[in-house]
Short mmCIF file of all heavy atoms in Angstrom, two decimals:
data_model
loop_
_atom_site.label_atom_id
_atom_site.label_comp_id
_atom_site.label_asym_id
_atom_site.label_seq_id
_atom_site.Cartn_x
_atom_site.Cartn_y
_atom_site.Cartn_z
N PRO A 1 0.85 -1.23 -0.01
CA PRO A 1 -0.07 0.04 0.01
C PRO A 1 0.82 1.22 0.11
O PRO A 1 0.29 2.33 -0.37
CB PRO A 1 -0.81 -0.06 1.25
CG PRO A 1 -0.03 -0.95 2.22
CD PRO A 1 0.58 -2.05 1.23
N TYR A 2 2.08 1.19 0.38
CA TYR A 2 2.99 2.30 0.30
C TYR A 2 3.30 2.77 -1.12
O TYR A 2 3.81 3.84 -1.37
CB TYR A 2 4.26 2.06 0.98
CG TYR A 2 4.86 0.58 0.80
CD1 TYR A 2 5.46 0.28 -0.41
CD2 TYR A 2 4.59 -0.45 1.61
CE1 TYR A 2 6.09 -1.01 -0.60
CE2 TYR A 2 5.03 -1.71 1.43
CZ TYR A 2 5.79 -1.95 0.25
OH TYR A 2 6.27 -3.31 0.13
N GLN A 3 2.85 1.98 -2.06
CA GLN A 3 3.04 2.28 -3.50
C GLN A 3 1.87 3.10 -4.10
O GLN A 3 1.83 3.74 -5.17
CB GLN A 3 3.12 1.11 -4.41
CG GLN A 3 4.38 0.30 -4.15
CD GLN A 3 4.52 -0.97 -4.95
OE1 GLN A 3 3.58 -1.33 -5.66
NE2 GLN A 3 5.63 -1.60 -4.78
N LEU A 4 0.79 3.17 -3.25
CA LEU A 4 -0.44 3.93 -3.61
C LEU A 4 -0.18 5.38 -3.53
O LEU A 4 0.63 5.85 -2.85
CB LEU A 4 -1.63 3.54 -2.73
CG LEU A 4 -2.08 2.06 -2.86
CD1 LEU A 4 -3.10 1.83 -1.78
CD2 LEU A 4 -2.67 1.71 -4.21
N PRO A 5 -0.99 6.27 -4.21
CA PRO A 5 -0.83 7.74 -4.07
C PRO A 5 -1.00 8.22 -2.68
O PRO A 5 -1.73 7.60 -1.86
CB PRO A 5 -2.08 8.22 -5.02
CG PRO A 5 -2.31 7.14 -5.97
CD PRO A 5 -2.11 5.88 -5.15
N ALA A 6 -0.18 9.16 -2.35
CA ALA A 6 -0.37 9.86 -1.10
C ALA A 6 0.02 8.85 0.04
O ALA A 6 -0.93 8.67 0.91
CB ALA A 6 -1.64 10.51 -0.85
N PRO A 7 1.12 8.25 0.08
CA PRO A 7 1.38 7.38 1.25
C PRO A 7 1.44 8.10 2.57
O PRO A 7 1.53 9.27 2.60
CB PRO A 7 2.79 6.82 0.76
CG PRO A 7 3.42 7.72 0.04
CD PRO A 7 2.25 8.46 -0.81
N PRO A 8 1.54 7.29 3.55
CA PRO A 8 1.45 7.87 4.96
C PRO A 8 2.80 8.74 5.06
O PRO A 8 3.86 8.42 4.62
CB PRO A 8 1.50 6.75 5.95
CG PRO A 8 0.83 5.61 5.09
CD PRO A 8 1.30 5.97 3.80
N GLU A 9 2.70 9.81 5.99
CA GLU A 9 3.82 10.71 6.23
C GLU A 9 4.40 10.31 7.54
O GLU A 9 3.97 9.55 8.41
CB GLU A 9 3.24 12.17 6.27
CG GLU A 9 2.62 12.62 5.11
CD GLU A 9 2.07 14.13 5.19
OE1 GLU A 9 2.12 14.65 6.37
OE2 GLU A 9 1.62 14.62 4.15
N ARG A 10 5.60 10.78 7.72
CA ARG A 10 6.35 10.54 8.97
C ARG A 10 5.67 10.96 10.13
O ARG A 10 5.15 12.10 10.23
CB ARG A 10 7.80 11.22 8.90
CG ARG A 10 8.65 10.97 10.19
CD ARG A 10 10.10 11.52 9.98
NE ARG A 10 10.87 11.23 11.21
CZ ARG A 10 12.08 11.44 11.25
NH1 ARG A 10 12.82 12.08 10.28
NH2 ARG A 10 12.81 11.28 12.51
N GLY A 11 5.48 10.15 11.11
CA GLY A 11 4.79 10.49 12.41
C GLY A 11 3.30 10.21 12.26
O GLY A 11 2.68 10.46 13.38
N GLU A 12 2.84 9.89 11.16
CA GLU A 12 1.28 9.70 11.09
C GLU A 12 0.90 8.38 11.71
O GLU A 12 1.57 7.31 11.51
CB GLU A 12 1.02 9.67 9.53
CG GLU A 12 -0.53 9.48 9.30
CD GLU A 12 -0.89 9.57 7.85
OE1 GLU A 12 -0.09 10.02 7.02
OE2 GLU A 12 -2.03 9.26 7.47
N PHE A 13 -0.13 8.39 12.47
CA PHE A 13 -0.62 7.25 13.15
C PHE A 13 -1.55 6.49 12.23
O PHE A 13 -2.69 6.94 11.94
CB PHE A 13 -1.35 7.52 14.53
CG PHE A 13 -0.33 7.85 15.62
CD1 PHE A 13 0.50 8.95 15.65
CD2 PHE A 13 -0.17 6.98 16.67
CE1 PHE A 13 1.34 9.12 16.70
CE2 PHE A 13 0.67 7.14 17.75
CZ PHE A 13 1.49 8.27 17.69
N ILE A 14 -1.26 5.24 11.82
CA ILE A 14 -2.02 4.47 10.92
C ILE A 14 -2.28 3.07 11.53
O ILE A 14 -1.66 2.74 12.61
CB ILE A 14 -1.33 4.31 9.47
CG1 ILE A 14 -0.02 3.64 9.59
CG2 ILE A 14 -1.18 5.78 8.90
CD1 ILE A 14 0.65 3.33 8.25
N ALA A 15 -3.05 2.27 10.94
CA ALA A 15 -3.24 0.85 11.49
C ALA A 15 -3.22 0.02 10.15
O ALA A 15 -4.23 -0.24 9.56
CB ALA A 15 -4.64 0.80 12.10
N TRP A 16 -2.00 -0.56 10.00
CA TRP A 16 -1.84 -1.45 8.79
C TRP A 16 -1.67 -2.87 9.30
O TRP A 16 -1.08 -3.06 10.39
CB TRP A 16 -0.67 -1.02 8.00
CG TRP A 16 -0.88 0.16 7.12
CD1 TRP A 16 -2.05 0.86 6.93
CD2 TRP A 16 -0.03 0.65 6.00
NE1 TRP A 16 -2.01 1.78 5.86
CE2 TRP A 16 -0.83 1.70 5.34
CE3 TRP A 16 1.21 0.26 5.63
CZ2 TRP A 16 -0.07 2.31 4.22
CZ3 TRP A 16 1.73 0.98 4.63
CH2 TRP A 16 1.14 1.96 3.94
N SER A 17 -2.15 -3.80 8.59
CA SER A 17 -1.83 -5.22 8.52
C SER A 17 -0.98 -5.45 7.43
O SER A 17 -0.75 -4.67 6.61
CB SER A 17 -3.12 -6.06 8.59
OG SER A 17 -3.80 -5.93 9.89
N GLU A 18 -0.56 -6.77 7.27
CA GLU A 18 0.38 -7.22 6.23
C GLU A 18 1.72 -6.85 6.67
O GLU A 18 2.12 -5.62 6.76
CB GLU A 18 0.09 -6.52 4.89
CG GLU A 18 0.51 -7.45 3.68
CD GLU A 18 1.82 -8.00 3.62
OE1 GLU A 18 2.84 -7.46 3.85
OE2 GLU A 18 1.81 -9.23 3.25
N SER A 19 2.60 -7.88 6.98
CA SER A 19 3.87 -7.69 7.67
C SER A 19 4.74 -6.82 6.82
O SER A 19 5.40 -5.90 7.53
CB SER A 19 4.45 -9.12 8.10
OG SER A 19 4.68 -9.87 6.89
N ASN A 20 5.00 -7.03 5.57
CA ASN A 20 5.91 -6.22 4.94
C ASN A 20 5.49 -4.73 4.87
O ASN A 20 6.36 -3.89 5.02
CB ASN A 20 6.22 -6.80 3.56
CG ASN A 20 5.40 -6.00 2.40
OD1 ASN A 20 5.74 -4.98 1.99
ND2 ASN A 20 4.21 -6.54 2.14
N ALA A 21 4.22 -4.49 4.76
CA ALA A 21 3.72 -3.24 4.72
C ALA A 21 3.92 -2.38 6.07
O ALA A 21 4.30 -1.29 6.14
CB ALA A 21 2.23 -3.14 4.40
N VAL A 22 3.72 -3.03 7.11
CA VAL A 22 3.97 -2.60 8.49
C VAL A 22 5.41 -2.18 8.66
O VAL A 22 5.76 -1.06 9.13
CB VAL A 22 3.53 -3.62 9.53
CG1 VAL A 22 4.02 -3.11 10.99
CG2 VAL A 22 2.00 -3.75 9.58
N ILE A 23 6.25 -3.08 8.33
CA ILE A 23 7.79 -2.92 8.36
C ILE A 23 8.18 -1.81 7.54
O ILE A 23 8.98 -0.86 7.96
CB ILE A 23 8.56 -4.11 8.14
CG1 ILE A 23 8.16 -5.20 9.25
CG2 ILE A 23 10.10 -3.89 8.32
CD1 ILE A 23 8.57 -6.58 8.82
N TYR A 24 7.64 -1.72 6.33
CA TYR A 24 8.09 -0.58 5.48
C TYR A 24 7.58 0.71 5.82
O TYR A 24 8.21 1.80 5.80
CB TYR A 24 7.58 -0.87 4.13
CG TYR A 24 8.07 0.09 3.04
CD1 TYR A 24 9.09 -0.38 2.21
CD2 TYR A 24 7.48 1.42 2.82
CE1 TYR A 24 9.60 0.49 1.12
CE2 TYR A 24 7.97 2.19 1.72
CZ TYR A 24 9.02 1.74 1.03
OH TYR A 24 9.57 2.64 -0.02
N ALA A 25 6.25 0.81 6.45
CA ALA A 25 5.70 2.05 6.87
C ALA A 25 6.45 2.68 8.01
O ALA A 25 6.87 3.76 8.03
CB ALA A 25 4.37 1.85 7.32
N ASN A 26 6.79 1.75 9.07
CA ASN A 26 7.55 2.20 10.29
C ASN A 26 8.92 2.54 9.86
O ASN A 26 9.56 3.59 10.25
CB ASN A 26 7.54 1.09 11.21
CG ASN A 26 6.33 1.01 12.03
OD1 ASN A 26 5.69 1.98 12.46
ND2 ASN A 26 5.79 -0.11 12.18
N SER A 27 9.65 1.68 9.08
CA SER A 27 11.08 1.77 8.92
C SER A 27 11.45 2.88 7.88
O SER A 27 12.32 3.74 8.06
CB SER A 27 11.65 0.47 8.38
OG SER A 27 11.40 -0.58 9.35
N VAL A 28 10.77 2.81 6.72
CA VAL A 28 11.16 3.67 5.56
C VAL A 28 10.36 5.09 5.43
O VAL A 28 10.93 6.04 5.20
CB VAL A 28 10.96 3.00 4.20
CG1 VAL A 28 11.24 3.76 3.00
CG2 VAL A 28 11.72 1.57 4.20
N LEU A 29 9.06 4.91 5.76
CA LEU A 29 8.28 6.16 5.77
C LEU A 29 8.33 6.87 7.19
O LEU A 29 8.06 8.11 7.12
CB LEU A 29 6.83 5.77 5.47
CG LEU A 29 6.52 5.12 4.17
CD1 LEU A 29 5.01 4.69 3.89
CD2 LEU A 29 7.10 5.87 3.03
N GLY A 30 8.70 6.18 8.13
CA GLY A 30 8.60 6.86 9.48
C GLY A 30 7.17 7.03 10.06
O GLY A 30 7.00 7.78 11.00
N ALA A 31 6.16 6.45 9.41
CA ALA A 31 4.81 6.42 9.96
C ALA A 31 4.81 5.53 11.10
O ALA A 31 5.80 4.85 11.49
CB ALA A 31 3.80 6.00 8.86
N ARG A 32 3.64 5.35 11.90
CA ARG A 32 3.55 4.69 13.07
C ARG A 32 2.45 3.65 12.99
O ARG A 32 1.26 4.00 12.89
CB ARG A 32 3.48 5.47 14.33
CG ARG A 32 4.64 6.34 14.47
CD ARG A 32 4.75 7.02 15.89
NE ARG A 32 6.07 7.81 16.01
CZ ARG A 32 6.56 8.17 17.11
NH1 ARG A 32 5.81 8.03 18.16
NH2 ARG A 32 7.71 8.78 17.03
N THR A 33 2.80 2.35 13.13
CA THR A 33 1.67 1.31 13.12
C THR A 33 2.35 0.04 13.82
O THR A 33 3.52 -0.24 13.48
CB THR A 33 1.13 0.88 11.77
OG1 THR A 33 0.16 -0.10 11.88
CG2 THR A 33 2.28 0.45 10.79
N VAL A 34 1.60 -0.64 14.69
CA VAL A 34 2.02 -1.85 15.16
C VAL A 34 1.64 -2.94 14.03
O VAL A 34 0.82 -2.50 13.04
CB VAL A 34 1.47 -2.23 16.51
CG1 VAL A 34 1.92 -1.19 17.60
CG2 VAL A 34 0.07 -2.47 16.49
N LYS A 35 1.99 -4.19 14.24
CA LYS A 35 1.79 -5.15 13.24
C LYS A 35 0.36 -5.83 13.70
O LYS A 35 0.28 -6.72 14.42
CB LYS A 35 2.77 -6.39 13.21
CG LYS A 35 2.59 -7.25 12.15
CD LYS A 35 3.65 -8.51 12.33
CE LYS A 35 4.94 -8.04 12.00
NZ LYS A 35 5.91 -9.29 11.88
N HIS A 36 -0.72 -5.10 13.15
CA HIS A 36 -2.06 -5.53 13.58
C HIS A 36 -2.36 -6.83 12.94
O HIS A 36 -2.26 -7.04 11.71
CB HIS A 36 -3.05 -4.52 13.24
CG HIS A 36 -2.98 -3.23 13.98
ND1 HIS A 36 -3.18 -3.04 15.26
CD2 HIS A 36 -2.56 -1.98 13.46
CE1 HIS A 36 -2.99 -1.79 15.71
NE2 HIS A 36 -2.67 -1.10 14.59
N PRO A 37 -2.93 -7.78 13.76
CA PRO A 37 -3.30 -9.05 13.07
C PRO A 37 -4.71 -8.95 12.37
O PRO A 37 -5.41 -8.04 12.45
CB PRO A 37 -3.54 -9.98 14.38
CG PRO A 37 -3.87 -9.06 15.48
CD PRO A 37 -3.06 -7.75 15.14
N ASP A 38 -4.87 -9.94 11.49
CA ASP A 38 -6.06 -9.97 10.68
C ASP A 38 -7.27 -10.07 11.76
O ASP A 38 -7.21 -10.51 12.80
CB ASP A 38 -6.20 -11.34 10.02
CG ASP A 38 -5.26 -11.29 8.73
OD1 ASP A 38 -4.61 -10.36 8.64
OD2 ASP A 38 -5.40 -12.18 7.88
N PHE A 39 -8.45 -9.35 11.48
CA PHE A 39 -9.58 -9.12 12.24
C PHE A 39 -9.51 -8.00 13.13
O PHE A 39 -10.49 -7.14 13.14
CB PHE A 39 -10.00 -10.42 13.06
CG PHE A 39 -10.00 -11.70 12.44
CD1 PHE A 39 -9.42 -12.87 12.94
CD2 PHE A 39 -10.33 -11.82 11.06
CE1 PHE A 39 -9.40 -14.08 12.33
CE2 PHE A 39 -10.42 -12.98 10.41
CZ PHE A 39 -9.87 -14.20 10.98
N LEU A 40 -8.33 -7.74 13.76
CA LEU A 40 -8.20 -6.43 14.49
C LEU A 40 -8.24 -5.22 13.49
O LEU A 40 -8.67 -4.12 13.79
CB LEU A 40 -6.97 -6.50 15.28
CG LEU A 40 -6.92 -5.28 16.27
CD1 LEU A 40 -8.00 -5.16 17.27
CD2 LEU A 40 -5.45 -5.29 17.07
N ASP A 41 -7.64 -5.53 12.30
CA ASP A 41 -7.62 -4.45 11.33
C ASP A 41 -9.01 -3.93 11.09
O ASP A 41 -9.23 -2.60 10.99
CB ASP A 41 -6.94 -4.90 10.02
CG ASP A 41 -7.22 -6.20 9.48
OD1 ASP A 41 -8.45 -6.73 9.83
OD2 ASP A 41 -6.60 -6.81 8.69
#
């Protein structure tokens, strides 16, 4: 989802599932999300 238009910004609180997306969002974008499991999303 980080490839979609207008990806999250640094410091933005989001709620992503999908492990690679969570790691990319936190690590590369500097957004904030824990690794939410399916159903909690």
Side-chain angles (χ1 to χ4, degrees):
Y2 40 83
Q3 295 175 353
L4 296 172
E9 298 178 353
R10 181 172 179 175
E12 183 177 346
F13 282 68
I14 63 177
W16 278 8
S17 290
E18 215 306 320
S19 57
N20 99 84
V22 169
I23 296 167
Y24 191 98
N26 283 314
S27 307
V28 181
L29 302 181
R32 299 197 174 190
T33 178
V34 304
K35 190 187 288 186
H36 293 295
D38 287 10
F39 310 140
L40 185 59
D41 47 16

